[in-house]
Amino acid sequence: MRIRKTSMVGIVVMAILIISLLAISGCGSTTTPAASATPGASTVQTSSASETETIKIGLVCNFGWPLGLDMIRSTRVLAAMDNAAGGWEIGGKKYKVQVIEYDSKNTQTTETAAVNRLIFEDKVKFILFDNNLADSCLPTTEANKVIALEETPTPVCLMPANHYSFGAALVNCQYAALPAYFAKAFPNAKTLAGALPDNQIGHAISDTIINNFKLVGIDATLIYFPETATDLSALGTKVKTLNPDLFCTGGDAIPYKAVYDAGYRGQMISTSTATFASTAAIAGATCLEGEVNAAWPVEFDPALTSFAQTFKEAYIKANGQWDAPEIQCTAEYSCLKAALIKAGTVSDTDKIAEVIGSGLQFEALNGTCQMVARPDLGNTRTVDSVVAYYIKKVVNGKITQLDTLKIEDVVAAFAKANPAK
């Protein structure tokens, strides 16, 4: 009996030890792992690897540039919306999204360093960019088969030599589709004066704007102004003297006020989607009365699509207010999402690039988007992007929806403006 009692005690002791070890090791725990604390990263909470994996997306933009800041905030909201809905389902697996952000500070050195860090340290395979500084980074992204999605009017990322870079932010679309629309909306218009900043972007799009307006029978004269100037009275006087049928800007607000103050009362238009709220805050609503311009669904209240309305509500919740962000660059995020889902892979960037380059159509905050070819650059792959525009008009200090450009009409206008050479 004594021996038996001793054995029972031993068994009890062993059981207690085993239970204690299991508790310490955490076996059977359902605690969610902590999010990454990578510097510069917008981290997301993820479930255990057996349930949901994580896909990392790099975002390099200028935190000090309004469009760059808008891109950051809007992309964060989109990622949070997707994660709250369970993430992206790709190839039968669920993936939460982690956006890793780096500030380019609008310098090439910083931009290049950010790209190198994303590729070689953060191990990302997808990078979103806000401007043309990405051009110099393409040799690195191409060599490492990293998908690069840009917002730039420069043609570098669209050239046939690049296999993994795409202009997915709808930039060139506006310069092809909108002149064609304005020619139909104002059939008596024969002359246009345009104001562009005297910088790389302004000069990169100047020939495109002139040629595309000429293509629809409108003679365009472009006037450059210093991008940091606040007094554009000389520009206003020149436009008043020319007295064109149409006055156009690339989205800059100060030229509107300058030409209005100089006495010009012709038709105001724009080849960009600059929001009325942001433009009026600088130029004043009075000089914008009657302006006709393209708009995104989110600019209207309520928004024109359920996706856009849900985004607006989420953006307000995250940022405290709706501050009229320019959401053009968010098309890159939506393009990548659609491509990964259609390709069914997060690792085979050759297959993902093939999907994007084969006429991918996707829904974005901007509306229905489609990738299109650039035969004028010798590229038959669909490396550029277009969108179905909503047209707005300023009436009594508020915007109203004037018209809609269907995606098939925009694709046709783009093809006509960019034929093979």
Side-chain angles (χ1 to χ4, degrees):
M1 291 295 293
R2 185 176 178 85
I3 295 173
R4 185 174 181 180
K5 287 180 180 179
T6 303
S7 300
M8 289 296 294
V9 170
I11 291 171
V12 171
V13 170
M14 287 297 294
I16 293 172
L17 286 173
I18 292 171
I19 293 171
S20 299
L21 287 171
L22 287 173
I24 293 171
S25 66
C27 289
S29 171
T30 57
T31 304
T32 302
S36 168
T38 304
S42 173
T43 57
V44 295
Q45 197 84 359
T46 62
S47 301
S48 62
S50 60
E51 297 175 356
T52 307
E53 297 185 30
T54 299
I55 179 172
K56 296 190 289 187
I57 301 172
L59 191 158
V60 182
C61 59
N62 179 6
F63 289 20
W65 186 39
L67 292 184
L69 188 58
D70 285 345
M71 184 180 186
I72 296 169
R73 290 174 176 168
S74 298
T75 302
R76 286 175 182 170
V77 172
L78 286 174
M81 288 170 58
D82 284 340
N83 287 340
W88 298 355
E89 185 169 342
I90 304 167
K93 293 183 179 180
K94 282 282 191 176
Y95 292 84
K96 289 291 183 75
V97 180
Q98 180 185 10
V99 181
I100 304 176
E101 307 162 353
Y102 291 115
D103 184 0
S104 72
K105 302 184 186 298
N106 201 34
T107 68
Q108 190 63 65
T109 300
T110 308
E111 177 109 355
T112 301
V115 170
N116 288 337
R117 183 173 182 179
L118 284 169
I119 295 174
F120 302 115
E121 295 183 33
D122 299 320
K123 306 299 182 183
V124 306
K125 283 294 183 181
F126 318 101
I127 304 179
L128 315 180
F129 295 95
D130 71 336
N131 59 38
N132 59 295
L133 290 179
D135 289 349
S136 295
C137 301
L138 294 184
T140 302
T141 57
E142 287 288 314
N144 290 278
K145 294 188 175 184
V146 170
I147 301 293
L149 304 179
E150 282 194 58
E151 185 264 346
T152 175
T154 59
V156 178
C157 75
L158 309 174
M159 301 305 289
N162 296 319
H163 299 286
Y164 305 96
S165 63
F166 303 89
L170 316 169
V171 173
N172 298 307
C173 172
Q174 57 203 9
Y175 308 125
L178 295 180
Y181 173 79
F182 292 136
K184 292 181 180 179
F186 307 106
N188 295 324
K190 300 301 177 185
T191 58
L192 172 141
L196 292 174
D198 191 8
N199 57 21
Q200 183 180 7
I201 298 298
H203 287 278
I205 65 177
S206 60
D207 288 343
T208 301
I209 291 177
I210 290 174
N211 293 336
N212 288 349
F213 273 106
K214 184 177 181 180
L215 189 65
V216 295
I218 297 176
D219 183 27
T221 300
L222 297 185
I223 306 167
Y224 295 99
F225 61 89
E227 61 178 328
T228 57
T230 56
D231 181 3
L232 299 183
S233 54
L235 182 149
T237 300
K238 187 169 184 178
V239 172
K240 177 63 171 64
T241 301
L242 291 172
N243 196 31
D245 299 317
L246 305 173
F247 173 71
C248 172
T249 78
D252 299 278
I254 298 178
Y256 281 125
K257 179 173 174 54
V259 299
Y260 184 87
D261 288 346
Y264 175 75
R265 295 296 181 269
Q267 179 62 52
M268 303 276 199
I269 62 173
S270 179
T271 53
S272 85
T273 52
T275 66
F276 171 71
S278 60
T279 306
I282 297 174
T286 301
C287 65
L288 295 173
E289 185 67 23
E291 184 218 16
V292 176
N293 192 5
W296 305 129
V298 294
E299 187 173 354
F300 298 88
D301 193 16
L304 300 182
T305 66
S306 59
F307 178 25
Q309 183 60 31
T310 301
F311 170 82
K312 287 188 75 170
E313 293 167 1
Y315 185 95
I316 292 170
K317 185 176 181 179
N319 298 287
Q321 63 176 336
W322 179 253
D323 50 8
E326 172 52 78
I327 53 90
Q328 177 161 316
C329 291
T330 61
E332 297 175 18
Y333 177 94
S334 297
C335 176
L336 179 62
K337 175 183 177 180
L340 293 179
I341 292 173
K342 186 171 183 178
T345 177
V346 299
S347 58
D348 189 346
T349 52
D350 284 302
K351 187 173 182 180
I352 296 165
E354 182 180 356
V355 166
I356 301 175
S358 300
L360 178 67
Q361 189 170 110
F362 57 96
E363 291 299 319
L365 289 176
N366 320 70
T368 300
C369 305
Q370 184 170 321
M371 299 302 295
V372 290
R374 288 300 300 267
D376 57 311
L377 299 176
N379 203 338
T380 57
R381 296 170 62 239
T382 58
V383 293
D384 214 335
S385 53
V386 299
V387 63
Y389 279 118
Y390 297 87
I391 305 298
K392 70 190 176 198
K393 182 177 182 179
V394 179
V395 179
N396 296 324
K398 297 181 179 180
I399 64 167
T400 60
Q401 186 182 358
L402 181 63
D403 211 340
T404 304
L405 292 182
K406 296 180 179 180
I407 189 65
E408 54 266 29
D409 294 331
V410 176
V411 170
F414 192 87
K416 185 177 181 181
N418 300 283
K421 293 182 179 179

